[in-house]
Amino acid sequence: MSKIRQILPKEISDLEIIAGVAKGESSAINTIYTQFFPSVARMIVNNNGSDEEAKDIFQEAVMVLYDRVTQQDFELKSKLKTFLYAVSRRLWLKQLNRKGSSTNTSDISDYEDLLHVEEDIEKHVEIESKFTQMESALEQLGEPCKTILNDFYIANLSMQEICEKFGYTNTDNVKTQKYKCLQRLKKLFFNNKN
């Protein structure tokens, strides 16, 4: 997978995508679907939706984006991914609330109240910022702590597996090392905060 990523061209920036959307370039829309649809589809499917509903909701979110971008005063105040996710989430919640209702309209004016997604965007921006801080703290942490924490929390390896991987004499030593690593990580994380 990483070899494939190295071959692919550099990702297009959010501002380049928005400029393309404003000009009506199909390549910008294709980029939006390629980069941002999978996370929205996951969110919808994991919340009682189907693949078809995910496609419909995402298409409506892209229409909201297009509507906003073609207004001259539009300013993106978050990552484009965050904006599309927040709009899609609101649209999906609204659809869940009206499921069973016989009125199905797709007029964009129905979603005027959804265009103000700053509250959701602020939450996502804050979460993204914390992930960035955590990544930075993990990079500073160094080895073997970085790998031990990754193996335990991300790869879900057992203490015994980590013990064997690093050559510790028993799992108690791994637990002690993991605890020390977590303490160092917390210290680095909170020292990196602005």
Side-chain angles (χ1 to χ4, degrees), residues 11-110:
E11 285 187 10
I12 300 171
S13 74
D14 288 352
L15 294 177
E16 291 170 318
I17 293 171
I18 289 172
V21 168
K23 293 175 188 173
E25 295 175 358
S26 61
S27 62
I29 301 295
N30 290 339
T31 300
I32 286 173
Y33 275 87
T34 303
Q35 288 187 13
F36 308 124
F37 176 68
S39 63
V40 169
R42 241 186 335 272
M43 179 264 298
I44 291 172
V45 169
N46 288 338
N47 288 284
N48 301 318
S50 68
D51 289 333
E52 274 309 307
E53 288 171 317
K55 289 175 187 173
D56 292 343
I57 291 292
F58 192 73
Q59 184 172 349
E60 290 178 39
V62 171
M63 289 176 7
V64 169
L65 174 67
Y66 179 79
D67 189 55
R68 295 287 298 268
V69 165
T70 54
Q71 298 173 11
Q72 291 187 348
D73 61 345
F74 177 72
E75 180 184 342
L76 187 66
K77 296 179 181 176
S78 68
K79 289 184 178 181
L80 183 55
K81 176 181 182 177
T82 302
F83 178 86
L84 287 168
Y85 188 91
V87 172
S88 297
R89 182 175 164 270
R90 291 271 178 114
L91 289 170
W92 181 240
L93 289 173
K94 186 170 184 171
Q95 183 164 322
L96 284 175
N97 285 334
R98 64 184 168 146
K99 262 190 175 181
S101 167
S102 61
T103 58
N104 280 334
T105 61
S106 60
D107 184 7
I108 200 165
S109 63
D110 291 342

Side-chain angles (χ1 to χ4, degrees), residues 134 137-138 141-150 153 166 168 173-189:
M134 184 58 72
L138 274 169
L141 191 59
E143 295 298 342
C145 284
K146 184 177 167 184
T147 303
I148 289 173
L149 294 178
N150 184 69
Y153 291 105
F166 284 92
Y168 287 104
N173 291 343
V174 176
K175 289 177 188 173
T176 301
Q177 183 63 41
K178 182 181 74 81
Y179 175 79
K180 289 178 182 177
C181 292
L182 278 174
Q183 295 307 312
R184 286 181 48 211
L185 182 63
K186 284 180 188 176
K187 188 175 181 180
L188 287 168
F189 177 77

